[in-house]
């Protein structure tokens, strides 16, 4: 028989025992049949029980058998204390589930290698330094000409791959009326080959597709898109679609699972970089540069080589920056170029969320530790009440290790059951969190497979947790001294010391979690309640384009007039883009023909009536008129007047834009400040210029795209969305609405990360507080039960209720204070790692400290109350009689 | 399974030998045979035979089978496997070597 049969025998031990017994019995009966004396036969046979044990032991795996016995026993014990077990399991389940969910997110976004042949050899290039706005900035974008130079230079050490930024693009397979959206990425033709990726259908892009500008209008679909859009129809190959004025032919489908290198987004259509019209421009940075390094190549020399080429290129280009402050050019050229491992891809989502996720994971881990401390306290308390059982086991010869195993197995039951419940929680919670960080039409698509990585993490976590809360109680239980335990007790303080230390740790972690959560919540609150300087209420933004070619400004006005006539519309205006869109356009200014100024000014094209529609008050001067066309008049904000005109009234004064050449503008109006491109920005000097543009000769230019901004009468502007969408092409058939948002959505989008952090941190803080409160309650309650006799005697000899309350709570309240202090120190020490996530919140703010302190002490009070009540209500007569 | 002190070794070789001569014997019969063949010299605690039998079964040297006896009781009978036969040959050889060595020592002293 094999190991397998010995394992199997563990689970049919009953039958095994019966068979052995039957065989031994038949031996003795045989002996008696042969005429031997019954007593003699039994004596000659020896101890039946011992023989059975010996036989059993050779026929099964003994450690497994004892484990099985302990598991059965442990489960029975858990069932006996249903309520406490359920509480322990549920609190642990919540913590384990949250940990696993956090791991799924972090793994999917930051750790999981791309499905390519050598992800470990992939590096992403980036440059960092002082930006044009004078603040530290970093970027991972390059222009194609410099990429081409770098690729040629690195040829022997690495293959450089250009990856455009992921965008949503309008395209159509049929007529212009049936436009649809797809996510789109320009990639180097040799990307697929270098990654060792094989097509699922047709062919992938090749180097040859990507050598001549605009020569190969071919496209490769992602598997997911092919399935979604074409139902996996092989006839998709060879079909064409149109985007803008270009027609592309589909040549193949990428394999399942590969959705590009921009983790957190999923590309639908890959096209060669050469099909981007910016591919020849040195001043347009629109690609990420990835480097697939050849085996054995050192990174640092390669980095230096590429940095030198990039710098030389920019130095050459900067010679054209004649009209720019010297220092800014220096800053620009002195950017440091780095190469970082990008096995998990390279994306903005990673950049934006790695720190928040790490912060959340820390909070979650602390919640888990709090839950573990609870269960450890529970197990310790149980171990105390089991001291006699343990002592008995030791007395009849159980080994210490067997006792450790006994208690650990029980802990493992709790952990395993908790992990099972937690897994369900994580299953549900991780995709939910991804949905929360999703702006409505820019879905972050994060693959969240529950595979061996997640399973491995969960198993390791469960084991770790088991040892964390089970080992100390187990060792304690096993070190029982039978003599003293059976006599009825040993030093009761030793046990309490551990319990108290755990309470202090719990309170410290709880305080820390509350503290950090408070900072995140305040950040979100301050950010979302920040005055914007305009009214976002009832504003609808219609991203509008003209088909075929740009259309005369007069046609745009026709569209606006038509929309004004729609019932429910209050006002209509145009702008080049909405406020708080996240994008910006800026320029250096000069005044009176002087040198360019150090501070950047920010520009935005707006139509007459835009200020009124946005409800940005005009302080002085006038709004644009129908006859104004850029470049001529300008309306500036108060910060602009402060920055460039020392706060004097700038109406009637002039200044010059410097790039690409000097163009004079005259200030006709002054407005109050309003936020320009992001909720977090400090107020910028802003110049509003007319929506209409004229060329050098003063002739009006046709316009191809713009935002129609509509303030509606109804409180829900989206109610009008579909009517307005249809109304635009009815006004002029060349016009089409690409997208509709509310201004509020844009603003919410900017605080998505803060909202996520605030909500999750608040949730974990509540859980932490709840768990710590339960823990405190349990410990206090248990100590009152344990000291019933002592309290009874004290009451009997006349101790006042206050003295009893003090007796019960004094140690624990000291622990709460110590824990809170430790939590505070922990918070202060670690807060600088997450400072970048805060907005106008200081960790040293007294309010930030008072809040968690109040919460912790309040919870402690609530938790202590029942125990104290129980203590002072003890009836001395009853208690002493029952002993 | 690799425990093989001299006593246990001797019990194993005895059991294997008996089973090679009288296949399909139950425990009591093996015990009686050992006594019989050794002229009552070898008689250990009878019960220790069973753990040895079960160990040899685990090792794959013998296989067992339950049969119904005439008396109506069930009995477990044992027989050698191919591996058991090989083992017997080895054990026998080893036993001979050990005893002849011991004899040589006894003679010289």
């Amino acid at each position: 028989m094999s190991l397998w049969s010995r394992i199997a025998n563990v689970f049919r031990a009953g039958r095994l025992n019966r068979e052995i017994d039957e065989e031994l019995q038949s031996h003795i009966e045989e002996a008696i049949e042969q005429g031997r004396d019954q007593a003699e036969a039994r004596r000659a046979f020896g101890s039946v029980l011992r023989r059975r044990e010996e036989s059993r032991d050779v026929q099964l795996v003994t450690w497994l058998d004892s484990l099985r016995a302990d598991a059965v026993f442990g489960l029975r014990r858990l069932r006996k204390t249903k309520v406490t077990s359920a509480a322990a399991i549920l609190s642990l389940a919540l913590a384990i589930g949250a940990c696993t969910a956090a791991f799924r997110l972090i793994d999917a976004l930051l750790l999981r290698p791309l499905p390519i042949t050598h992800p470990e050899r992939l590096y992403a290039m980036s440059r960092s330094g002082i930006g044009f706005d004078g603040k530290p900035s970093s970027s991972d974008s390059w222009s194609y000409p410099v990429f081409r130079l770098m690729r040629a230079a690195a040829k022997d050490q690495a293959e450089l791959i250009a990856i455009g930024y992921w965008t949503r693009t309008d395209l159509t397979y049929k007529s212009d009326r049936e436009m649809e959206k797809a996510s789109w990425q320009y990639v180097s033709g040799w990307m697929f080959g270098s990654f060792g990726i094989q097509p699922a259908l047709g062919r992938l892009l090749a180097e040859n597709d990507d050598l001549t500008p605009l020569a190969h209008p071919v496209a490769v679909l992602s598997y997911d898109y092919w399935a979604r859009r074409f139902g996996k129809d092989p006839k998709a190959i060879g079909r064409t679609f149109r985007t803008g004025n270009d027609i592309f032919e589909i040549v193949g489908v990428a394999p399942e699972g590969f959705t590009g290198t921009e983790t957190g987004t999923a590309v639908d259509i890959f096209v060669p970089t050469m099909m981007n019209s910016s591919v020849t421009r040195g001043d347009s940075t629109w690609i990420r540069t990835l480097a697939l390094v050849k085996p054995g190549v050192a990174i640092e020399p390669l980095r230096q080589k590429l940095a030198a080429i990039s710098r030389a290129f920019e130095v050459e280009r900067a010679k054209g920056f004649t009209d720019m402050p010297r220092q800014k050019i220096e800053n620009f050229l002195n950017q440091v170029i780095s190469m970082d491992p990008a096995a998990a891809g390279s994306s903005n989502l990673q950049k934006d969320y790695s720190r928040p996720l790490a912060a959340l994971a820390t909070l979650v881990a602390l919640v888990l530790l709090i839950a573990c401390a609870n269960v450890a306290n529970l197990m310790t308390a149980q171990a105390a009440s089991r001291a006699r059982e343990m002592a008995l086991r030791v007395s009849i010869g159980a080994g210490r290790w067997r006792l450790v195993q006994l208690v650990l197995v029980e802990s493992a039951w709790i952990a395993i059951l908790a992990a099972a419940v937690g897994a369900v929680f994580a299953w549900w919670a991780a995709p939910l969190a991804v949905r929360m960080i999703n702006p409505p039409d820019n879905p972050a698509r994060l693959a969240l497979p529950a595979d061996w990585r997640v399973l491995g993490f969960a198993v390791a976590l469960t084991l770790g947790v088991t040892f964390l809360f089970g080992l100390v109680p187990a060792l304690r239980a096993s070190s029982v001294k039978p003599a003293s335990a059976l006599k009825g007790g040993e030093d009761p303080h030793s046990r309490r010391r551990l319990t108290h230390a755990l309470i202090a740790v719990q309170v410290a972690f709880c305080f820390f979690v509350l503290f950090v959560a408070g900072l995140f919540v305040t950040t979100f609150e301050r950010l979302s309640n920040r005055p914007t300087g305009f009214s976002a209420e009832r504003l609808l933004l219609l991203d509008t384009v003209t088909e075929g070619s740009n259309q005369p400004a007069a046609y745009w006005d026709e569209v606006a007039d038509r929309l004004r006539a729609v019932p429910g519309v209050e006002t209509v205006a145009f702008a080049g883009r909405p406020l708080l869109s996240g994008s910006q356009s800026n320029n250096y200014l000069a005044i009176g023909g002087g040198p360019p100024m150090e501070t950047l000014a920010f520009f935005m094209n707006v139509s007459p009536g835009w200020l009124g529609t946005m409800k940005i008050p005009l302080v002085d001067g006038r709004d644009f008129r129908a006859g104004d066309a850029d470049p001529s008049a300008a309306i500036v904000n108060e910060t602009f007047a402060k920055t460039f005109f020392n706060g004097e009234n700038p109406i009637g004064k002039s200044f010059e834009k410097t790039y690409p050449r000097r163009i004079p503008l005259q200030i006709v109006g002054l407005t109050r400040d309003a936020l320009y491109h992001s909720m977090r920005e400090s107020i910028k000097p802003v110049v509003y210029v007319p929506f209409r543009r004229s060329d050098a000769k003063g002739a009006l230019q046709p316009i191809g795209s713009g935002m129609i901004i509509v303030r509606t009468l109804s409180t829900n502007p989206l109610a009008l969305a579909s009517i307005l969408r249809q109304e635009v092409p009815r006004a002029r058939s060349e016009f089409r609405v690409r997208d509709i948002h509310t201004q509020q959505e844009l603003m919410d989008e900017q605080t998505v990360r803060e909202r996520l952090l605030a909500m999750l941190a608040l949730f974990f803080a509540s859980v932490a507080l709840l768990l710590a409160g339960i823990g405190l309650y349990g410990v206090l309650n248990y100590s009152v039960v344990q000291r019933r006799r002592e309290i009874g005697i004290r009451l009997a000899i006349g101790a006042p209720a206050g003295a009893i309350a003090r007796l019960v709570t004094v140690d624990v309240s000291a622990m709460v204070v110590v824990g809170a202090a430790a939590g505070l120190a922990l918070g202060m020490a670690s807060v600088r790692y997450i400072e970048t996530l805060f907005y106008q919140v200081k960790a040293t703010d007294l309010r930030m400290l008072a809040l968690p302190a109040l919460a912790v002490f309040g919870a402690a009070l609530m938790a202590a109350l029942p125990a104290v009540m129980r203590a002072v209500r003890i009836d001395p007569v009853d208690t002493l009689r029952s002993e | 399974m690799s425990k093989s002190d001299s006593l246990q070794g001797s019990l194993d070789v005895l059991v294997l030998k008996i089973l090679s001569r009288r296949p399909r014997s139950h425990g009591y019969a093996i015990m009686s045979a050992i006594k019989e063949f050794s002229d009552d010299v070898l008689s250990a605690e009878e019960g220790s035979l069973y753990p040895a039998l079960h160990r040899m079964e685990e090792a794959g040297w013998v296989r067992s089978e339950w049969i119904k006896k005439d008396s109506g009781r069930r009995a477990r009978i044992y027989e050698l496997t191919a591996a058991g036969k090989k083992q017997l040959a080895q054990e026998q050889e080893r036993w001979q070597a050990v005893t002849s060595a011991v004899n040589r020592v006894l003679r010289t002293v």
Side-chain angles (χ1 to χ4, degrees):
Chain A
M1 270 186 264
S2 60
L3 178 69
W4 176 240
S5 77
R6 288 169 59 215
I7 291 173
N9 277 340
V10 168
F11 300 98
R12 42 181 219 103
R15 187 169 149 210
L16 193 66
N17 275 347
R18 274 196 309 281
E19 285 192 347
I20 295 171
D21 281 352
E22 190 178 353
E23 190 176 11
L24 301 183
Q25 208 50 48
S26 86
H27 178 102
I28 293 171
E29 277 166 24
E30 186 85 17
I32 295 165
E33 251 170 50
Q34 301 286 328
R36 284 167 63 182
D37 175 54
Q38 189 171 344
E40 182 273 332
R42 281 188 194 284
R43 201 165 41 245
F45 191 82
S47 162
V48 176
L49 216 57
R50 223 177 102 204
R51 296 301 162 221
R52 186 223 273 181
E53 283 277 287
E54 280 175 27
S55 280
R56 225 177 103 92
D57 285 356
V58 298
Q59 287 185 64
L60 46 68
V61 185
T62 41
W63 62 264
L64 193 62
D65 186 48
S66 69
L67 206 59
R68 186 196 57 87
D70 289 349
V72 171
F73 182 74
L75 197 59
R76 204 177 300 148
R77 273 194 59 94
L78 284 190
R79 280 213 217 106
K80 228 195 270 176
T81 51
K82 273 198 190 78
V83 178
T84 34
S85 306
I89 289 168
L90 282 181
S91 58
L92 259 186
L94 189 62
I96 290 181
C99 269
T100 312
F103 175 78
R104 280 183 78 186
L105 287 177
I106 290 176
D107 179 53
L109 186 61
L110 302 171
L111 306 178
R112 187 176 291 270
L114 294 172
I116 61 177
T117 41
H118 288 291
E120 73 286 352
R121 290 205 223 127
L122 195 62
Y123 288 77
M125 297 184 59
S126 63
R127 38 185 168 182
S128 57
I130 308 290
F132 287 112
D133 55 359
K135 289 180 190 137
S137 78
S138 70
S139 133
D140 58 0
S141 63
W142 312 77
S143 69
Y144 201 87
V146 65
F147 166 80
R148 196 199 285 263
L149 291 176
M150 292 196 293
R151 182 182 182 222
K155 200 82 199 162
D156 296 334
Q157 287 114 33
E159 180 64 283
L160 260 53
I161 299 163
I163 311 275
Y165 289 91
W166 177 97
T167 52
R168 298 279 286 170
T169 298
D170 295 292
L171 53 88
T172 177
Y173 291 90
K174 293 170 190 152
S175 75
D176 290 352
R177 293 278 150 242
E178 288 159 283
M179 281 283 176
E180 52 190 279
K181 281 187 181 293
S183 66
W184 176 272
Q185 196 167 46
Y186 292 100
V187 298
S188 286
W190 52 91
M191 176 188 81
F192 292 104
S194 322
F195 284 172
I197 291 175
Q198 299 301 322
L201 192 68
R203 70 170 179 97
L204 298 174
L205 300 181
E207 173 136 15
N208 198 34
D209 295 320
D210 202 25
L211 295 176
T212 328
L214 306 176
H216 292 89
V218 289
V220 165
L221 308 185
S222 77
Y223 191 91
D224 181 45
Y225 180 69
W226 178 52
R228 228 173 340 115
R229 177 63 181 74
F230 293 103
K232 301 194 188 176
D233 181 3
K235 288 205 269 304
I237 305 295
R239 284 192 67 169
T240 58
F241 61 84
R242 191 174 71 74
T243 173
N245 294 321
D246 302 322
I247 293 176
F248 286 83
E249 185 192 340
I250 297 170
V251 294
V253 176
E256 198 170 3
F258 182 79
T259 55
T261 55
E262 200 171 328
T263 312
T265 64
V267 175
D268 293 337
I269 301 175
F270 297 95
V271 288
T273 51
M274 281 297 151
M275 292 310 295
N276 187 309
S277 54
S278 299
V279 79
T280 50
R281 288 177 55 177
D283 62 346
S284 174
T285 60
W286 59 279
I287 52 164
R288 279 200 177 86
T289 301
L290 298 182
L292 193 64
V293 175
K294 302 209 160 125
V297 170
I299 295 304
E300 181 53 24
L302 178 61
R303 186 195 70 79
Q304 284 174 5
K305 190 181 201 175
L306 294 174
I309 290 169
S310 173
R311 188 186 156 91
F313 180 86
E314 301 295 7
V315 165
E316 195 55 37
R317 191 160 79 87
K319 286 181 185 159
F321 302 166
T322 46
D323 214 6
M324 196 186 276
R326 198 64 241 161
Q327 184 58 43
K328 304 285 174 181
I329 298 177
E330 285 297 309
N331 288 344
F332 172 66
L333 293 178
N334 287 337
Q335 293 184 101
V336 177
I337 288 174
S338 37
M339 286 178 72
D340 299 304
S346 170
S347 72
N348 288 335
L349 200 69
Q350 288 176 333
K351 230 189 303 180
D352 292 346
Y353 280 93
S354 62
R355 213 172 265 266
L357 278 179
L360 282 177
T362 310
L363 296 191
V364 169
L366 290 181
V367 170
L368 179 68
L369 290 178
I370 293 175
C372 282
N374 265 0
V375 182
N377 266 341
L378 184 79
M379 301 291 291
T380 312
Q382 280 187 350
S385 62
R386 288 170 80 177
R388 278 176 209 201
E389 176 202 330
M390 292 297 170
L392 206 62
R393 282 172 184 270
V394 171
S395 314
I396 60 173
R400 300 278 179 196
W401 172 243
R402 263 318 290 278
L403 294 191
V404 171
Q405 183 183 312
L406 186 76
V407 179
L408 269 184
V409 165
E410 213 177 305
S411 305
W413 266 122
I414 294 182
I416 289 167
L417 290 172
V421 180
V424 177
F425 178 75
W427 192 268
W428 164 81
L432 186 75
V434 173
R435 272 202 296 281
M436 276 169 69
I437 62 178
N438 269 349
D441 79 339
N442 179 14
R445 290 228 291 272
L446 211 49
L448 284 171
D451 58 1
W452 62 268
R453 289 173 70 95
V454 178
L455 189 72
F457 175 82
V459 168
L461 191 68
T462 308
L463 276 180
V465 160
T466 305
F467 281 103
L468 210 54
F469 70 73
L471 196 59
V472 173
L475 290 176
R476 214 160 251 271
S478 74
S479 65
V480 68
K481 294 183 199 69
S484 70
L486 290 177
K487 256 187 310 196
E490 44 189 321
D491 175 18
H493 294 293
S494 66
R495 197 166 50 237
R496 241 178 263 157
R497 272 196 294 275
L498 173 74
T499 306
H500 287 166
L502 283 178
I503 285 287
V505 169
Q506 273 185 314
V507 170
F509 288 166
C510 180
F511 188 96
F512 178 81
V513 174
L514 284 169
F515 174 64
V516 173
L519 291 170
F520 283 146
V521 169
T522 314
T523 291
F524 174 62
E525 201 182 69
R526 298 220 168 131
L527 201 56
S528 53
N529 290 335
R530 179 172 186 198
T532 55
F534 64 89
S535 161
E537 271 174 27
R538 315 193 314 270
L539 275 188
L540 207 54
L541 314 171
L542 282 62
D543 182 0
T544 309
V545 290
T546 60
E547 297 299 344
S549 56
N550 294 352
Q551 298 295 324
Y555 289 4
W556 284 82
D557 288 338
E558 266 179 54
V559 172
D561 286 340
R562 174 91 175 213
L563 294 185
R564 283 190 190 102
V566 174
V569 170
E570 194 179 287
T571 54
V572 177
F574 295 118
R577 63 166 165 276
L579 286 175
L580 299 179
S581 66
S583 61
Q584 47 179 305
S585 101
N586 51 39
N587 213 322
Y588 287 109
L589 305 184
I591 295 173
M597 317 265 278
E598 291 270 321
T599 315
L600 280 171
F602 293 79
F603 284 73
M604 184 150 158
N605 292 82
V606 303
S607 70
W610 180 83
L611 288 173
T613 302
M614 297 306 291
K615 300 201 172 159
I616 300 175
L618 196 63
V619 180
D620 201 358
R622 63 168 179 88
D623 192 0
F624 292 130
R625 300 190 187 113
D628 290 328
D630 193 39
S632 64
I635 297 173
V636 300
N637 69 358
E638 289 179 318
T639 301
F640 182 95
K642 235 175 278 163
T643 314
F644 295 104
F645 293 98
N646 299 320
E648 289 165 30
N649 189 336
I651 305 287
K653 295 189 170 144
S654 302
F655 62 89
E656 291 168 305
K657 293 204 284 191
T658 61
Y659 186 84
R661 59 196 164 79
R662 293 211 172 193
I663 297 171
L665 297 174
Q666 191 187 25
I667 300 171
V668 299
L670 175 68
T671 68
R672 291 249 186 273
D673 287 336
L675 291 181
Y676 175 76
H677 88 283
S678 101
M679 291 295 288
R680 272 176 179 260
E681 75 186 7
S682 52
I683 295 286
K684 296 186 180 326
V686 177
V687 183
Y688 301 106
V689 292
F691 182 67
R692 293 181 165 206
R693 297 169 204 225
S694 56
D695 60 15
K697 290 177 203 135
L700 274 186
Q701 290 192 312
I703 301 166
S705 71
M707 278 287 158
I708 304 179
I709 294 166
V710 177
R711 189 178 293 276
T712 64
L713 290 167
S714 80
T715 45
N716 176 19
L718 283 173
L720 272 182
S722 62
I723 299 173
L724 295 178
R725 189 191 279 274
Q726 291 161 14
E727 207 61 23
V728 168
R730 267 185 216 146
R732 289 220 60 105
S733 61
E734 307 87 349
F735 285 66
R736 188 171 63 79
V737 175
R738 202 155 51 163
D739 244 328
I740 297 189
H741 287 294
T742 64
Q743 181 73 47
Q744 191 60 46
E745 279 171 352
L746 284 195
M747 290 160 66
D748 291 347
E749 217 170 282
Q750 295 221 347
T751 51
V752 158
R753 189 176 76 175
E754 285 72 18
R755 177 156 11 115
L756 178 83
L757 274 174
M759 281 175 62
L760 292 184
L762 199 63
F763 172 69
F764 291 130
S766 327
V767 174
L769 198 62
L770 184 71
L771 290 183
I774 291 174
L776 210 57
Y777 164 79
V779 166
L780 277 171
N781 203 40
Y782 179 70
S783 86
V784 168
V785 173
Q786 238 191 348
R787 297 168 80 177
R788 203 163 59 238
R789 207 167 14 163
E790 178 198 342
I791 295 169
I793 293 171
R794 282 175 190 268
L795 281 170
I797 58 174
I804 298 297
R806 202 173 314 123
L807 174 77
V808 175
T809 55
V810 65
D811 291 346
V812 172
S813 20
M815 285 304 116
V816 170
V817 173
V818 169
L824 176 64
L826 196 65
M828 286 297 171
S830 51
V831 88
R832 64 198 166 89
Y833 295 108
I834 46 175
E835 232 160 22
T836 51
L837 299 176
F838 299 149
Y839 174 77
Q840 293 199 340
V841 185
K842 282 250 162 9
T844 45
D845 191 342
L846 214 58
R847 260 189 32 190
M848 293 294 103
L849 299 176
L851 222 64
L854 274 179
V856 164
F857 292 125
L861 204 64
M862 296 273 289
L865 221 53
V868 172
M869 299 290 276
R870 187 170 185 164
V872 299
R873 282 207 192 130
I874 284 177
D875 183 345
V877 183
D878 272 2
T879 315
L880 296 177
R881 194 179 286 150
S882 75
E883 281 292 323
Chain B
M1 217 45 40
S2 59
K3 284 186 277 180
S4 153
D5 58 61
S6 64
L7 243 173
Q8 217 166 26
S10 66
L11 183 58
D12 284 4
V13 73
L14 291 175
V15 171
L16 291 172
K17 189 72 192 174
I18 302 288
L19 282 177
S20 79
R21 284 205 198 151
R22 296 183 180 171
R24 300 176 69 78
S25 302
H26 53 69
Y28 192 83
I30 297 172
M31 199 76 245
S32 312
I34 292 175
K35 261 190 198 162
E36 186 190 321
F37 289 135
S38 69
D39 297 332
D40 277 355
V41 173
L42 295 175
S43 72
E45 199 176 22
E46 292 173 23
S48 57
L49 170 67
Y50 289 95
L53 274 171
H54 294 147
R55 186 162 35 73
M56 286 191 274
E57 188 177 13
E58 278 301 323
W61 301 342
V62 302
R63 61 170 160 261
S64 71
E65 193 184 329
W66 285 94
I67 56 155
K68 203 139 208 152
K69 294 207 301 184
D70 305 337
S71 60
R73 266 204 318 272
R74 290 206 314 155
R76 193 178 204 171
I77 56 164
Y78 294 86
E79 64 183 335
L80 281 188
T81 62
K85 282 175 191 148
K86 212 184 284 170
Q87 184 65 21
L88 173 60
Q90 273 176 22
E91 292 273 314
Q92 243 171 326
E93 212 168 281
R94 194 173 66 87
W95 188 254
Q96 301 293 6
V98 169
T99 45
S100 65
V102 170
N103 284 338
R104 274 200 299 280
V105 172
L106 290 180
R107 269 201 302 275
T108 42
V109 171

